[in-house]
Amino acid sequence: MKLIHISDFHLVQAGGTLLGLDPAARMDACLADVEAHHADADLVVVSGDLSETGGEDTYRILEERISRSKLPIRLMLGNHDIRENFATVFPGQMAENGFAQAAIDLPEGRVITLDTLDDGKVTGRLCDSRLAWLKEKLEEAKDRPVYLFMHHPADKVHLPALDVFGLLDPEPLFALLKAHGDVRHIFAGHLHRLVTGNWQGIPFTILRSTNHQTALDFVSPTTTNCFEPPMYSIILADRDSLIVHIHQFAD
Ligand SMILES: [Fe+2]
């Protein structure tokens, strides 16, 4: 099974730039690279901050691009996104409970994409409704591996400027994941940095953005942007293994 993970497009108005970069051109280059080399992907997940502004116009730019793609793309929301505007353009990406999340069954297990957007806040949150949905989706897959995608990292990574903007109150989430017992990996975005490790024994990979990045700083309480190359990941999973390859698709 091959999954592609992309994060943080940060699209702006047509023709606009963000920190001197063109987010739409970066998105296009990223998707073109995936289309050229991974047309066989079972699923492509974009883990939120699709838009910088949350404007409906930015989701139209995204819709126009992915309508030209044959890739099976699942979209998620981040703190910069506005759920209502996203839902207007992408009604098919919304779950029945009104959140942009999904459970997708593939040959090697179930992919679950979570909506951690807490409207208007930088931090993420899983409310009771979303936790109940997740519990149900995990129980349905109780005999199968689960691969979890979420915009906000589930816990801290020892970067003070970024850790304060993570998921609030992660313990109910971890209780559900541990009760399932076979959550193979958590994939996240939000930090605009490449970080891997494990939380409570569950491995994770956090990706850079396709646009701008944040500087590695273990001391400062404030974020500094930087311009390390953009990336996406190629995830190869079978019954006994899960491998994450990182590809920098542009300099
Ligand atoms: Fe972001």
Side-chain angles (χ1 to χ4, degrees):
M1 176 173 80
K2 179 190 277 189
L3 309 176
I4 301 295
H5 179 202
I6 305 169
S7 205
D8 293 80
F9 284 149
H10 283 264
L11 295 169
V12 296
Q13 74 281 4
T17 59
L18 178 62
L19 298 169
L21 303 171
D22 180 341
R26 289 290 189 102
M27 170 186 70
D28 186 56
C30 180
L31 291 175
D33 200 281
V34 175
E35 287 162 340
H37 300 288
H38 307 290
D40 60 339
D42 293 284
L43 186 67
V44 177
V45 180
V46 187
S47 58
D49 278 359
L50 307 168
S51 171
E52 167 73 8
T53 63
E56 193 178 311
D57 60 323
T58 59
Y59 298 120
R60 299 261 175 229
I61 292 170
L62 176 57
E63 200 279 333
E64 191 281 325
R65 178 60 182 84
I66 66 175
S67 70
R68 290 190 278 112
S69 181
K70 292 189 173 70
L71 295 168
I73 300 178
R74 173 55 56 174
L75 302 172
M76 300 172 60
L77 298 181
N79 49 291
H80 278 266
D81 291 302
I82 295 177
R83 192 179 289 108
E84 192 180 3
N85 291 342
F86 173 80
T88 299
V89 180
F90 294 105
Q93 298 270 345
M94 304 301 290
E96 62 282 355
N97 63 358
F99 292 100
Q101 48 195 23
I104 300 144
D105 289 319
L106 295 172
E108 302 295 343
R110 171 169 275 195
V111 171
I112 296 179
T113 62
L114 277 181
D115 181 338
T116 55
L117 168 60
D118 194 8
D119 297 315
K121 304 220 172 74
V122 182
T123 48
R125 192 169 78 96
L126 291 171
C127 57
D128 290 345
S129 170
R130 281 172 279 188
L131 286 167
W133 180 93
L134 176 62
K135 183 170 189 283
E136 181 185 307
K137 299 305 173 193
L138 289 169
E139 285 174 354
E140 287 170 5
K142 66 179 186 304
D143 300 324
R144 283 171 285 154
V146 165
Y147 311 88
L148 187 72
F149 288 79
M150 49 199 295
H151 178 72
H152 292 82
D155 212 338
K156 298 189 187 325
V157 298
H158 303 283
L159 294 172
L162 302 175
D163 282 343
V164 294
F165 296 122
L167 184 76
L168 300 179
D169 189 21
E171 282 316 311
L173 169 66
F174 280 106
L176 293 177
L177 301 184
K178 286 193 276 192
H180 178 276
D182 196 11
V183 177
R184 297 287 173 97
H185 211 91
I186 298 173
F187 301 92
H190 189 51
L191 302 189
H192 295 220
R193 288 212 59 78
L194 175 61
V195 189
T196 71
N198 82 72
W199 293 301
Q200 303 192 29
I202 302 175
F204 68 82
T205 303
I206 301 167
L207 280 191
R208 284 183 197 155
S209 164
T210 54
N211 199 65
H212 56 286
Q213 319 306 340
T214 57
L216 182 63
D217 190 332
F218 293 101
V219 178
S220 174
T222 56
T223 305
T224 305
N225 292 313
C226 73
F227 300 96
E228 293 170 10
M231 58 174 46
Y232 68 83
S233 77
I234 304 103
I235 301 146
L236 300 166
D238 59 27
R239 197 179 64 180
D240 302 318
S241 70
L242 185 144
I243 307 298
V244 183
H245 290 276
I246 302 297
H247 178 52
Q248 296 185 169
F249 62 88
D251 292 332

